[in-house]
Amino acid sequence: METNLCVAGFGGQGVMTLGKFLATATCDSTDKNVTFFPSYGAEQRGGTANCFVVISDEAVGAPLGDVMDDLIVMNGPSLNRFIKTLKPGGTLFINSSIVSEETGRTDIKVVKAPVTEMALEMGNSKVLNIIMLGVYIGFTGVVSPEVVWDTIEHKLGKKPKLLPLNKEAFEKGLEMGRSQR
Amino acid sequence: MSRVFMKGCEAIAEAAVRAGCRFFAGYPITPQNEIPEYFARRMPEVSGTFVQGESEVASISMVYGAASAGTRAMTSSSSPGIALKSEGISYCAAARIPMVYSNISRGGPGVGSIQPAQMDYLQATKASGNGGFEMMVFAPASVQEAVDMTYKAFDYADRDRNPVLILADGVIGTMMEPVVLPEMKTEEEINEIKNAKKVWSCTGHKLDYKNRAWIEPGHWLTSDMQRANEEAEKLYESWKADVMVEEYETEDAEVVITAYGISARIAKSAVNILRKEGIKAGLIRPITLHPFPYDSFDKLDYKKVKAVLDVEMSIPAQFVQDVEIAIKDRCPIHTCLCSGGNIMSRESIIEAVRKIYS
C-alpha cells in the first residue's frame, strides 16, 4: 500500500509546512516508510510552491510519483497544473474559498473546504494550512489526529501563544473532513 | 534505535558531526544550503568551527588547512561551486590530506539550473581537478545511506590520507526521510583519531626543525613527484577491495537496468512493478562510483540478457561510459535520460524496459 500526495498552492500559504507536519507525524507514529520532497524554485516568497509526500508499507521508490492518489490544491493555478496527475478514483482537496474553476473530471472524489475564509473568520489568515491538514486527516484517517496534533504542538513549541489558535484550526478542519467522508 | 525525520542535507551534516568532524567551511549555493546552515548551528555546540568563507576557493583552502592539522574537516557545495573548489581538492589529493566533501549536484553545465541532476559523474569519478588524482566516490540513494556514507567517509579518508566525495543530488539533499543516526564519537575518540595523525600532520613540533611536518602539494624534484604519483597509484588500485554495489533481481534478468543515486532508487521501484507484470527486470546499482563495480556486470548471464538500460539524469549520458567498459560489447546498451533539473520518472523507465522486452 502506497499513498502519493501532492500539496500545491501559492508561496506563503504554508504548503510545505502542511506536508512536513503530515510526514513527520507518520514517521513518529508508524513503522511506515515516508518521504517529503519539496519542489524548490529560486523565489523567496510569492510564486507557486508544492511538495510531495509518499507514505508506504514498502520502500519508497520515487519521492515524487508520476500519479497522485491525493491532491491538495490551495489556489487556482495549482489545480490547473496538477489535476491531470490525480489518478481515477483519487481524492482532490480543494480550497474552495479561492478556487472556483471546475475540475473537468468526473472520475475523482472532491472534498471542498473554504479554508481561506475559515482562517480569516478565526482572525488569522495564516492557519489555513492547519485547517486543510485537519480536513485531510479527518477525511483520510491516514494517521491518527492525536499524533498529528502532537507533531504540530512540538513544532510550535517555541511559540506557545500560537497553540490555542492552531488547535482550533486543526479541530475545525478535522470536523469538516469527517463530515464529507 | 529510534528514527528521526530529517532532510538529506541536515542529516549529512549531523552524520559528519557524529563522525568527529570539527571543522566545516563552505559558501552558499542551492540546493545544499541546509548543510552549512546546519553546521553553523551545530558546530558551536560541539566546540567545533564553522566558517562561511568569502568564496568556494577560500572555503576549500580552509578545509585543506584544518585537515592538515589533523582535524576531521569537511566542505560542501553544488555543481558549479564544486568546480570552483577543484583547485583545493587537487591540492588535498596531492598533499595526501584526508578530508570529506559533498556535491549536492544540480543541472549544468555553467550555472545550470538549481534543480536536481546527475551531470557531474565524469567530473566526480575521472577528473575532479588537475593532475590525474583519484578519490573514493559514494552515491547515496536515500537519506539513510547519505548518513551512513558520510559517517564512514571520514574513516576512509583517514585510512587513505585522501579526499572522499559524497556525490548526491538535489533530491537526496532536499528530501526528508526517517533515519537512524550513528553513534556520536566521544571527545576521547576524536582526540585519539587526531593524535594518530601526528606523524604527518602540522600540529606543532616545538623547535624540532629536523622532524617537523611538511604539507606538500607538489615536489620540486621530478623523482620525488614520480614517487608520489606511484604511491598514489598503489592506493587507488587497493580500492578494488572496497567496491560497494547493490545487485537486485539480476540472476534471471532479461533486461538489466543500471543506475546510481536517486535514479537507481526510482529504477528499483520500476523493477518491482515490471516483475509483477512478468517482465524479468533487474538492477545493478553502484554504491561506490569509484571504485566502479565492473565485476557485477561480468556475473550477468548474457545468454539471457537482451539489453542493459542505463538510467541517469544527464544528457548526454556520462555514467554510460563506465557501463560500456563493464559490458565489453556483450549486449546492447540503451539509455533512459532526462536533464536540466527534470527528475527521472518511473513511468519512462518502465516504458523503456517494455520497449526492449517486446
Side-chain angles (χ1 to χ4, degrees), chain A residues 2 20 23-24 26-28 30-38 40-42 60-64 66, chain B residues 3-5 7 30-31 114-116 170-171 174-178 262 265-266 269 343 345-348:
Chain A
E2 181 176 295
K20 217 184 284 182
T24 306
T26 309
C27 172
D28 292 348
T30 69
D31 295 330
K32 285 177 196 283
N33 292 301
V34 56
T35 58
F36 166 84
F37 178 63
Y40 54 90
V60 177
L64 68 169
D66 304 290
Chain B
R3 55 183 204 168
V4 284
F5 199 59
K7 186 174 263 232
T30 303
I114 65 172
Q115 285 81 12
V171 180
T174 59
M175 74 187 282
M176 294 177 84
E177 237 182 333
I262 188 66
R265 176 191 179 128
I266 297 167
S269 65
I343 296 162
S345 105
R346 186 163 62 192
E347 278 307 308
S348 58

mmCIF file of all heavy atoms in Angstrom, chain A residues 2 20 23-24 26-28 30-38 40-42 60-64 66, chain B residues 3-5 7 30-31 114-116 170-171 174-178 262 265-266 269 343 345-348:
data_model
loop_
_atom_site.group_PDB
_atom_site.id
_atom_site.type_symbol
_atom_site.label_atom_id
_atom_site.label_comp_id
_atom_site.label_asym_id
_atom_site.label_seq_id
_atom_site.Cartn_x
_atom_site.Cartn_y
_atom_site.Cartn_z
ATOM 1 N N GLU A 2 0.653 2.114 -0.971
ATOM 2 C CA GLU A 2 1.436 3.349 -1.070
ATOM 3 C C GLU A 2 0.508 4.512 -1.395
ATOM 4 O O GLU A 2 -0.334 4.406 -2.276
ATOM 5 C CB GLU A 2 2.505 3.191 -2.169
ATOM 6 C CG GLU A 2 3.390 4.412 -2.326
ATOM 7 C CD GLU A 2 4.521 4.225 -3.353
ATOM 8 O OE1 GLU A 2 5.403 3.397 -3.116
ATOM 9 O OE2 GLU A 2 4.482 4.924 -4.378
ATOM 10 N N LYS A 20 5.084 18.731 5.574
ATOM 11 C CA LYS A 20 6.113 18.337 6.531
ATOM 12 C C LYS A 20 5.496 17.819 7.831
ATOM 13 O O LYS A 20 5.948 16.834 8.400
ATOM 14 C CB LYS A 20 7.008 19.545 6.819
ATOM 15 C CG LYS A 20 8.458 19.175 7.004
ATOM 16 C CD LYS A 20 9.298 20.381 7.378
ATOM 17 C CE LYS A 20 9.583 21.290 6.209
ATOM 18 N NZ LYS A 20 10.446 22.422 6.590
ATOM 19 N N ALA A 23 4.111 14.329 7.164
ATOM 20 C CA ALA A 23 5.177 13.331 7.003
ATOM 21 C C ALA A 23 5.870 13.059 8.340
ATOM 22 O O ALA A 23 6.168 11.908 8.671
ATOM 23 C CB ALA A 23 6.180 13.808 5.959
ATOM 24 N N THR A 24 6.115 14.098 9.095
ATOM 25 C CA THR A 24 6.782 13.936 10.394
ATOM 26 C C THR A 24 5.915 13.100 11.328
ATOM 27 O O THR A 24 6.410 12.198 12.016
ATOM 28 C CB THR A 24 7.062 15.307 11.037
ATOM 29 O OG1 THR A 24 7.790 16.097 10.101
ATOM 30 C CG2 THR A 24 7.890 15.177 12.307
ATOM 31 N N THR A 26 3.769 10.884 10.506
ATOM 32 C CA THR A 26 3.802 9.499 10.037
ATOM 33 C C THR A 26 5.078 8.806 10.508
ATOM 34 O O THR A 26 5.050 7.655 10.954
ATOM 35 C CB THR A 26 3.727 9.447 8.496
ATOM 36 O OG1 THR A 26 2.621 10.246 8.079
ATOM 37 C CG2 THR A 26 3.546 8.033 7.994
ATOM 38 N N CYS A 27 6.211 9.520 10.396
ATOM 39 C CA CYS A 27 7.499 8.956 10.836
ATOM 40 C C CYS A 27 7.458 8.653 12.333
ATOM 41 O O CYS A 27 7.905 7.601 12.768
ATOM 42 C CB CYS A 27 8.628 9.929 10.522
ATOM 43 S SG CYS A 27 10.217 9.457 11.225
ATOM 44 N N ASP A 28 6.917 9.590 13.101
ATOM 45 C CA ASP A 28 6.936 9.457 14.562
ATOM 46 C C ASP A 28 6.008 8.372 15.086
ATOM 47 O O ASP A 28 6.262 7.792 16.140
ATOM 48 C CB ASP A 28 6.545 10.797 15.217
ATOM 49 C CG ASP A 28 7.595 11.865 14.989
ATOM 50 O OD1 ASP A 28 8.703 11.498 14.536
ATOM 51 O OD2 ASP A 28 7.321 13.050 15.242
ATOM 52 N N THR A 30 4.363 5.686 13.188
ATOM 53 C CA THR A 30 4.176 4.407 12.496
ATOM 54 C C THR A 30 5.536 3.818 12.111
ATOM 55 O O THR A 30 6.559 4.473 12.266
ATOM 56 C CB THR A 30 3.361 4.585 11.189
ATOM 57 O OG1 THR A 30 4.175 5.299 10.249
ATOM 58 C CG2 THR A 30 2.077 5.349 11.427
ATOM 59 N N ASP A 31 5.497 2.587 11.601
ATOM 60 C CA ASP A 31 6.715 1.959 11.079
ATOM 61 C C ASP A 31 6.806 2.145 9.574
ATOM 62 O O ASP A 31 7.670 1.598 8.915
ATOM 63 C CB ASP A 31 6.715 0.447 11.383
ATOM 64 C CG ASP A 31 6.769 0.186 12.876
ATOM 65 O OD1 ASP A 31 7.348 1.022 13.585
ATOM 66 O OD2 ASP A 31 6.217 -0.844 13.319
ATOM 67 N N LYS A 32 5.867 2.887 9.030
ATOM 68 C CA LYS A 32 5.800 3.025 7.574
ATOM 69 C C LYS A 32 6.993 3.811 7.043
ATOM 70 O O LYS A 32 7.619 4.577 7.766
ATOM 71 C CB LYS A 32 4.510 3.764 7.184
ATOM 72 C CG LYS A 32 3.262 2.914 7.304
ATOM 73 C CD LYS A 32 2.051 3.769 6.963
ATOM 74 C CE LYS A 32 0.751 3.158 7.419
ATOM 75 N NZ LYS A 32 0.278 2.074 6.575
ATOM 76 N N ASN A 33 7.271 3.611 5.753
ATOM 77 C CA ASN A 33 8.256 4.450 5.087
ATOM 78 C C ASN A 33 7.555 5.715 4.619
ATOM 79 O O ASN A 33 6.413 5.670 4.158
ATOM 80 C CB ASN A 33 8.855 3.710 3.893
ATOM 81 C CG ASN A 33 9.690 2.534 4.349
ATOM 82 O OD1 ASN A 33 10.655 2.702 5.086
ATOM 83 N ND2 ASN A 33 9.293 1.330 3.948
ATOM 84 N N VAL A 34 8.238 6.833 4.746
ATOM 85 C CA VAL A 34 7.621 8.107 4.366
ATOM 86 C C VAL A 34 8.692 9.053 3.839
ATOM 87 O O VAL A 34 9.812 9.082 4.347
ATOM 88 C CB VAL A 34 6.850 8.724 5.566
ATOM 89 C CG1 VAL A 34 7.737 8.893 6.775
ATOM 90 C CG2 VAL A 34 6.203 10.055 5.192
ATOM 91 N N THR A 35 8.340 9.771 2.777
ATOM 92 C CA THR A 35 9.259 10.793 2.268
ATOM 93 C C THR A 35 8.513 12.105 2.097
ATOM 94 O O THR A 35 7.305 12.127 1.835
ATOM 95 C CB THR A 35 9.857 10.408 0.895
ATOM 96 O OG1 THR A 35 8.787 10.207 -0.034
ATOM 97 C CG2 THR A 35 10.699 9.150 0.986
ATOM 98 N N PHE A 36 9.257 13.193 2.267
ATOM 99 C CA PHE A 36 8.750 14.535 1.990
ATOM 100 C C PHE A 36 9.722 15.151 1.004
ATOM 101 O O PHE A 36 10.929 15.173 1.257
ATOM 102 C CB PHE A 36 8.713 15.358 3.290
ATOM 103 C CG PHE A 36 8.539 16.836 3.061
ATOM 104 C CD1 PHE A 36 7.273 17.386 2.880
ATOM 105 C CD2 PHE A 36 9.647 17.679 3.019
ATOM 106 C CE1 PHE A 36 7.123 18.747 2.657
ATOM 107 C CE2 PHE A 36 9.497 19.044 2.800
ATOM 108 C CZ PHE A 36 8.230 19.579 2.622
ATOM 109 N N PHE A 37 9.192 15.605 -0.129
ATOM 110 C CA PHE A 37 10.080 16.242 -1.103
ATOM 111 C C PHE A 37 9.512 17.591 -1.530
ATOM 112 O O PHE A 37 8.433 17.646 -2.104
ATOM 113 C CB PHE A 37 10.279 15.336 -2.330
ATOM 114 C CG PHE A 37 11.150 15.960 -3.384
ATOM 115 C CD1 PHE A 37 12.472 16.274 -3.117
ATOM 116 C CD2 PHE A 37 10.647 16.243 -4.643
ATOM 117 C CE1 PHE A 37 13.283 16.870 -4.078
ATOM 118 C CE2 PHE A 37 11.454 16.823 -5.616
ATOM 119 C CZ PHE A 37 12.765 17.138 -5.327
ATOM 120 N N PRO A 38 10.213 18.676 -1.214
ATOM 121 C CA PRO A 38 9.735 19.988 -1.628
ATOM 122 C C PRO A 38 10.219 20.305 -3.036
ATOM 123 O O PRO A 38 11.372 20.055 -3.362
ATOM 124 C CB PRO A 38 10.418 20.920 -0.626
ATOM 125 C CG PRO A 38 11.708 20.241 -0.295
ATOM 126 C CD PRO A 38 11.485 18.758 -0.474
ATOM 127 N N TYR A 40 11.512 22.981 -5.249
ATOM 128 C CA TYR A 40 12.032 24.301 -4.891
ATOM 129 C C TYR A 40 12.350 25.130 -6.123
ATOM 130 O O TYR A 40 12.809 24.615 -7.130
ATOM 131 C CB TYR A 40 13.271 24.165 -3.997
ATOM 132 C CG TYR A 40 14.370 23.299 -4.566
ATOM 133 C CD1 TYR A 40 15.368 23.859 -5.358
ATOM 134 C CD2 TYR A 40 14.403 21.933 -4.342
ATOM 135 C CE1 TYR A 40 16.375 23.071 -5.892
ATOM 136 C CE2 TYR A 40 15.406 21.142 -4.875
ATOM 137 C CZ TYR A 40 16.393 21.718 -5.650
ATOM 138 O OH TYR A 40 17.382 20.949 -6.185
ATOM 139 N N GLY A 41 12.080 26.421 -6.026
ATOM 140 C CA GLY A 41 12.408 27.336 -7.113
ATOM 141 C C GLY A 41 13.340 28.404 -6.580
ATOM 142 O O GLY A 41 13.829 28.311 -5.463
ATOM 143 N N ALA A 42 13.592 29.429 -7.394
ATOM 144 C CA ALA A 42 14.500 30.497 -6.967
ATOM 145 C C ALA A 42 13.768 31.549 -6.137
ATOM 146 O O ALA A 42 14.386 32.405 -5.521
ATOM 147 C CB ALA A 42 15.144 31.131 -8.183
ATOM 148 N N VAL A 60 10.108 3.311 -0.308
ATOM 149 C CA VAL A 60 9.621 4.316 -1.256
ATOM 150 C C VAL A 60 10.610 4.401 -2.415
ATOM 151 O O VAL A 60 11.811 4.573 -2.209
ATOM 152 C CB VAL A 60 9.481 5.690 -0.581
ATOM 153 C CG1 VAL A 60 9.056 6.740 -1.605
ATOM 154 C CG2 VAL A 60 8.477 5.625 0.559
ATOM 155 N N GLY A 61 10.093 4.244 -3.635
ATOM 156 C CA GLY A 61 10.954 4.387 -4.808
ATOM 157 C C GLY A 61 11.147 5.856 -5.117
ATOM 158 O O GLY A 61 12.074 6.503 -4.645
ATOM 159 N N ALA A 62 10.228 6.401 -5.880
ATOM 160 C CA ALA A 62 10.323 7.806 -6.244
ATOM 161 C C ALA A 62 9.668 8.663 -5.169
ATOM 162 O O ALA A 62 8.507 8.451 -4.842
ATOM 163 C CB ALA A 62 9.638 8.035 -7.577
ATOM 164 N N PRO A 63 10.398 9.629 -4.600
ATOM 165 C CA PRO A 63 9.767 10.523 -3.627
ATOM 166 C C PRO A 63 8.782 11.491 -4.275
ATOM 167 O O PRO A 63 8.095 12.229 -3.588
ATOM 168 C CB PRO A 63 10.943 11.258 -2.996
ATOM 169 C CG PRO A 63 12.065 11.103 -3.942
ATOM 170 C CD PRO A 63 11.830 9.865 -4.738
ATOM 171 N N LEU A 64 8.744 11.489 -5.584
ATOM 172 C CA LEU A 64 7.663 12.193 -6.264
ATOM 173 C C LEU A 64 7.187 11.305 -7.407
ATOM 174 O O LEU A 64 7.912 11.049 -8.350
ATOM 175 C CB LEU A 64 8.069 13.583 -6.757
ATOM 176 C CG LEU A 64 9.079 13.724 -7.868
ATOM 177 C CD1 LEU A 64 9.121 15.146 -8.359
ATOM 178 C CD2 LEU A 64 10.432 13.284 -7.411
ATOM 179 N N ASP A 66 4.604 9.747 -10.456
ATOM 180 C CA ASP A 66 4.005 10.320 -11.664
ATOM 181 C C ASP A 66 2.495 10.460 -11.487
ATOM 182 O O ASP A 66 1.864 11.282 -12.134
ATOM 183 C CB ASP A 66 4.269 9.406 -12.864
ATOM 184 C CG ASP A 66 5.748 9.151 -13.060
ATOM 185 O OD1 ASP A 66 6.435 10.098 -13.458
ATOM 186 O OD2 ASP A 66 6.202 8.033 -12.777
ATOM 187 N N ARG B 3 14.023 6.358 15.096
ATOM 188 C CA ARG B 3 14.284 7.055 13.854
ATOM 189 C C ARG B 3 13.807 8.495 13.961
ATOM 190 O O ARG B 3 12.851 8.793 14.684
ATOM 191 C CB ARG B 3 13.647 6.342 12.676
ATOM 192 C CG ARG B 3 12.154 6.086 12.812
ATOM 193 C CD ARG B 3 11.629 5.309 11.621
ATOM 194 N NE ARG B 3 10.190 5.542 11.452
ATOM 195 C CZ ARG B 3 9.500 5.178 10.375
ATOM 196 N NH1 ARG B 3 10.105 4.580 9.374
ATOM 197 N NH2 ARG B 3 8.211 5.416 10.288
ATOM 198 N N VAL B 4 14.492 9.365 13.239
ATOM 199 C CA VAL B 4 14.110 10.778 13.206
ATOM 200 C C VAL B 4 13.853 11.163 11.761
ATOM 201 O O VAL B 4 14.399 10.558 10.836
ATOM 202 C CB VAL B 4 15.205 11.696 13.804
ATOM 203 C CG1 VAL B 4 15.210 11.616 15.311
ATOM 204 C CG2 VAL B 4 16.576 11.370 13.247
ATOM 205 N N PHE B 5 13.029 12.162 11.575
ATOM 206 C CA PHE B 5 12.656 12.600 10.240
ATOM 207 C C PHE B 5 13.546 13.775 9.862
ATOM 208 O O PHE B 5 13.440 14.850 10.450
ATOM 209 C CB PHE B 5 11.180 13.004 10.242
ATOM 210 C CG PHE B 5 10.570 13.038 8.870
ATOM 211 C CD1 PHE B 5 10.559 11.894 8.073
ATOM 212 C CD2 PHE B 5 9.991 14.190 8.382
ATOM 213 C CE1 PHE B 5 9.983 11.911 6.818
ATOM 214 C CE2 PHE B 5 9.406 14.210 7.125
ATOM 215 C CZ PHE B 5 9.400 13.066 6.337
ATOM 216 N N LYS B 7 15.956 16.052 6.817
ATOM 217 C CA LYS B 7 16.284 16.440 5.451
ATOM 218 C C LYS B 7 17.683 15.914 5.112
ATOM 219 O O LYS B 7 18.573 15.940 5.982
ATOM 220 C CB LYS B 7 16.250 17.966 5.391
ATOM 221 C CG LYS B 7 16.424 18.538 4.016
ATOM 222 C CD LYS B 7 16.228 20.041 4.051
ATOM 223 C CE LYS B 7 14.815 20.393 3.652
ATOM 224 N NZ LYS B 7 14.729 21.398 2.597
ATOM 225 N N THR B 30 22.450 26.797 -3.748
ATOM 226 C CA THR B 30 21.318 25.870 -3.819
ATOM 227 C C THR B 30 21.737 24.649 -4.633
ATOM 228 O O THR B 30 22.432 24.819 -5.632
ATOM 229 C CB THR B 30 20.120 26.560 -4.506
ATOM 230 O OG1 THR B 30 19.811 27.739 -3.782
ATOM 231 C CG2 THR B 30 18.890 25.657 -4.560
ATOM 232 N N PRO B 31 21.335 23.454 -4.318
ATOM 233 C CA PRO B 31 20.408 23.023 -3.256
ATOM 234 C C PRO B 31 21.104 22.364 -2.057
ATOM 235 O O PRO B 31 20.659 21.325 -1.613
ATOM 236 C CB PRO B 31 19.552 21.997 -3.988
ATOM 237 C CG PRO B 31 20.509 21.367 -4.981
ATOM 238 C CD PRO B 31 21.584 22.379 -5.281
ATOM 239 N N ILE B 114 18.966 25.107 -10.809
ATOM 240 C CA ILE B 114 19.138 24.798 -9.382
ATOM 241 C C ILE B 114 18.480 23.490 -8.979
ATOM 242 O O ILE B 114 18.656 23.023 -7.877
ATOM 243 C CB ILE B 114 18.631 25.960 -8.483
ATOM 244 C CG1 ILE B 114 17.117 26.155 -8.620
ATOM 245 C CG2 ILE B 114 19.380 27.228 -8.796
ATOM 246 C CD1 ILE B 114 16.550 27.154 -7.621
ATOM 247 N N GLN B 115 17.731 22.891 -9.902
ATOM 248 C CA GLN B 115 17.030 21.648 -9.572
ATOM 249 C C GLN B 115 17.963 20.431 -9.688
ATOM 250 O O GLN B 115 19.050 20.541 -10.247
ATOM 251 C CB GLN B 115 15.803 21.489 -10.476
ATOM 252 C CG GLN B 115 14.649 22.399 -10.112
ATOM 253 C CD GLN B 115 14.828 23.810 -10.648
ATOM 254 O OE1 GLN B 115 15.693 24.062 -11.467
ATOM 255 N NE2 GLN B 115 14.017 24.736 -10.182
ATOM 256 N N PRO B 116 17.512 19.279 -9.164
ATOM 257 C CA PRO B 116 18.386 18.103 -9.105
ATOM 258 C C PRO B 116 18.840 17.602 -10.482
ATOM 259 O O PRO B 116 18.081 17.659 -11.439
ATOM 260 C CB PRO B 116 17.503 17.040 -8.450
ATOM 261 C CG PRO B 116 16.419 17.796 -7.760
ATOM 262 C CD PRO B 116 16.190 19.024 -8.552
ATOM 263 N N GLY B 170 20.130 17.000 -5.837
ATOM 264 C CA GLY B 170 19.146 17.869 -5.186
ATOM 265 C C GLY B 170 17.968 17.140 -4.568
ATOM 266 O O GLY B 170 17.337 17.664 -3.646
ATOM 267 N N VAL B 171 17.647 15.937 -5.053
ATOM 268 C CA VAL B 171 16.529 15.202 -4.434
ATOM 269 C C VAL B 171 16.972 14.661 -3.068
ATOM 270 O O VAL B 171 16.314 14.897 -2.053
ATOM 271 C CB VAL B 171 16.024 14.041 -5.322
ATOM 272 C CG1 VAL B 171 14.876 13.322 -4.637
ATOM 273 C CG2 VAL B 171 15.584 14.549 -6.681
ATOM 274 N N THR B 174 17.419 17.542 -0.537
ATOM 275 C CA THR B 174 16.293 18.348 -0.050
ATOM 276 C C THR B 174 15.129 17.507 0.477
ATOM 277 O O THR B 174 14.244 18.038 1.140
ATOM 278 C CB THR B 174 15.750 19.289 -1.150
ATOM 279 O OG1 THR B 174 15.341 18.502 -2.259
ATOM 280 C CG2 THR B 174 16.804 20.285 -1.592
ATOM 281 N N MET B 175 15.126 16.201 0.170
ATOM 282 C CA MET B 175 14.007 15.398 0.655
ATOM 283 C C MET B 175 14.189 15.050 2.140
ATOM 284 O O MET B 175 15.295 15.077 2.662
ATOM 285 C CB MET B 175 13.863 14.102 -0.154
ATOM 286 C CG MET B 175 14.906 13.062 0.151
ATOM 287 S SD MET B 175 14.808 11.663 -0.976
ATOM 288 C CE MET B 175 13.417 10.788 -0.298
ATOM 289 N N MET B 176 13.066 14.785 2.792
ATOM 290 C CA MET B 176 13.111 14.347 4.186
ATOM 291 C C MET B 176 12.698 12.886 4.247
ATOM 292 O O MET B 176 11.807 12.455 3.508
ATOM 293 C CB MET B 176 12.166 15.186 5.051
ATOM 294 C CG MET B 176 12.577 16.640 5.153
ATOM 295 S SD MET B 176 11.395 17.605 6.119
ATOM 296 C CE MET B 176 11.968 17.285 7.777
ATOM 297 N N GLU B 177 13.348 12.152 5.143
ATOM 298 C CA GLU B 177 13.081 10.718 5.275
ATOM 299 C C GLU B 177 13.431 10.300 6.694
ATOM 300 O O GLU B 177 14.281 10.932 7.318
ATOM 301 C CB GLU B 177 13.998 9.955 4.306
ATOM 302 C CG GLU B 177 13.263 9.103 3.347
ATOM 303 C CD GLU B 177 14.176 8.310 2.433
ATOM 304 O OE1 GLU B 177 15.307 8.709 2.143
ATOM 305 O OE2 GLU B 177 13.715 7.275 2.007
ATOM 306 N N PRO B 178 12.830 9.208 7.180
ATOM 307 C CA PRO B 178 13.246 8.723 8.506
ATOM 308 C C PRO B 178 14.679 8.200 8.444
ATOM 309 O O PRO B 178 15.042 7.516 7.488
ATOM 310 C CB PRO B 178 12.276 7.579 8.792
ATOM 311 C CG PRO B 178 11.141 7.759 7.837
ATOM 312 C CD PRO B 178 11.727 8.420 6.638
ATOM 313 N N ILE B 262 19.701 8.744 -6.899
ATOM 314 C CA ILE B 262 18.239 8.864 -6.924
ATOM 315 C C ILE B 262 17.623 8.099 -8.099
ATOM 316 O O ILE B 262 16.559 7.498 -7.966
ATOM 317 C CB ILE B 262 17.802 10.360 -6.925
ATOM 318 C CG1 ILE B 262 16.298 10.486 -6.757
ATOM 319 C CG2 ILE B 262 18.270 11.093 -8.176
ATOM 320 C CD1 ILE B 262 15.778 10.013 -5.412
ATOM 321 N N ARG B 265 17.173 4.462 -7.237
ATOM 322 C CA ARG B 265 16.073 4.239 -6.307
ATOM 323 C C ARG B 265 14.733 4.193 -7.052
ATOM 324 O O ARG B 265 13.883 3.335 -6.804
ATOM 325 C CB ARG B 265 16.108 5.382 -5.301
ATOM 326 C CG ARG B 265 14.994 5.380 -4.332
ATOM 327 C CD ARG B 265 15.029 6.711 -3.591
ATOM 328 N NE ARG B 265 13.947 6.752 -2.656
ATOM 329 C CZ ARG B 265 14.081 7.035 -1.377
ATOM 330 N NH1 ARG B 265 15.262 7.332 -0.895
ATOM 331 N NH2 ARG B 265 13.052 7.045 -0.584
ATOM 332 N N ILE B 266 14.581 5.114 -7.996
ATOM 333 C CA ILE B 266 13.355 5.160 -8.795
ATOM 334 C C ILE B 266 13.303 3.920 -9.702
ATOM 335 O O ILE B 266 12.259 3.287 -9.856
ATOM 336 C CB ILE B 266 13.275 6.485 -9.589
ATOM 337 C CG1 ILE B 266 13.200 7.665 -8.604
ATOM 338 C CG2 ILE B 266 12.075 6.498 -10.532
ATOM 339 C CD1 ILE B 266 13.425 9.027 -9.212
ATOM 340 N N SER B 269 12.060 0.760 -7.921
ATOM 341 C CA SER B 269 10.607 0.638 -7.808
ATOM 342 C C SER B 269 10.001 0.263 -9.158
ATOM 343 O O SER B 269 8.985 -0.419 -9.223
ATOM 344 C CB SER B 269 9.989 1.925 -7.243
ATOM 345 O OG SER B 269 10.162 3.004 -8.120
ATOM 346 N N ILE B 343 13.311 15.510 -13.031
ATOM 347 C CA ILE B 343 13.615 14.327 -12.232
ATOM 348 C C ILE B 343 13.129 13.084 -12.957
ATOM 349 O O ILE B 343 12.049 13.091 -13.557
ATOM 350 C CB ILE B 343 12.989 14.477 -10.825
ATOM 351 C CG1 ILE B 343 13.663 15.661 -10.113
ATOM 352 C CG2 ILE B 343 13.161 13.204 -10.006
ATOM 353 C CD1 ILE B 343 12.901 16.205 -8.950
ATOM 354 N N SER B 345 11.446 9.955 -14.245
ATOM 355 C CA SER B 345 10.111 9.450 -13.944
ATOM 356 C C SER B 345 10.098 7.928 -14.048
ATOM 357 O O SER B 345 10.715 7.344 -14.941
ATOM 358 C CB SER B 345 9.076 10.076 -14.892
ATOM 359 O OG SER B 345 8.664 9.157 -15.862
ATOM 360 N N ARG B 346 9.421 7.314 -13.083
ATOM 361 C CA ARG B 346 9.336 5.857 -13.040
ATOM 362 C C ARG B 346 8.668 5.331 -14.309
ATOM 363 O O ARG B 346 9.076 4.324 -14.863
ATOM 364 C CB ARG B 346 8.530 5.451 -11.798
ATOM 365 C CG ARG B 346 8.479 3.976 -11.560
ATOM 366 C CD ARG B 346 8.053 3.654 -10.158
ATOM 367 N NE ARG B 346 6.721 4.130 -9.846
ATOM 368 C CZ ARG B 346 6.210 4.165 -8.611
ATOM 369 N NH1 ARG B 346 6.940 3.788 -7.587
ATOM 370 N NH2 ARG B 346 4.987 4.597 -8.403
ATOM 371 N N GLU B 347 7.642 6.059 -14.758
ATOM 372 C CA GLU B 347 6.903 5.650 -15.952
ATOM 373 C C GLU B 347 7.813 5.548 -17.170
ATOM 374 O O GLU B 347 7.693 4.628 -17.973
ATOM 375 C CB GLU B 347 5.767 6.651 -16.237
ATOM 376 C CG GLU B 347 4.523 6.410 -15.409
ATOM 377 C CD GLU B 347 4.016 4.972 -15.505
ATOM 378 O OE1 GLU B 347 3.833 4.489 -16.638
ATOM 379 O OE2 GLU B 347 3.831 4.326 -14.458
ATOM 380 N N SER B 348 8.720 6.516 -17.322
ATOM 381 C CA SER B 348 9.567 6.486 -18.517
ATOM 382 C C SER B 348 10.553 5.323 -18.459
ATOM 383 O O SER B 348 10.912 4.759 -19.494
ATOM 384 C CB SER B 348 10.275 7.827 -18.737
ATOM 385 O OG SER B 348 11.058 8.150 -17.623
#
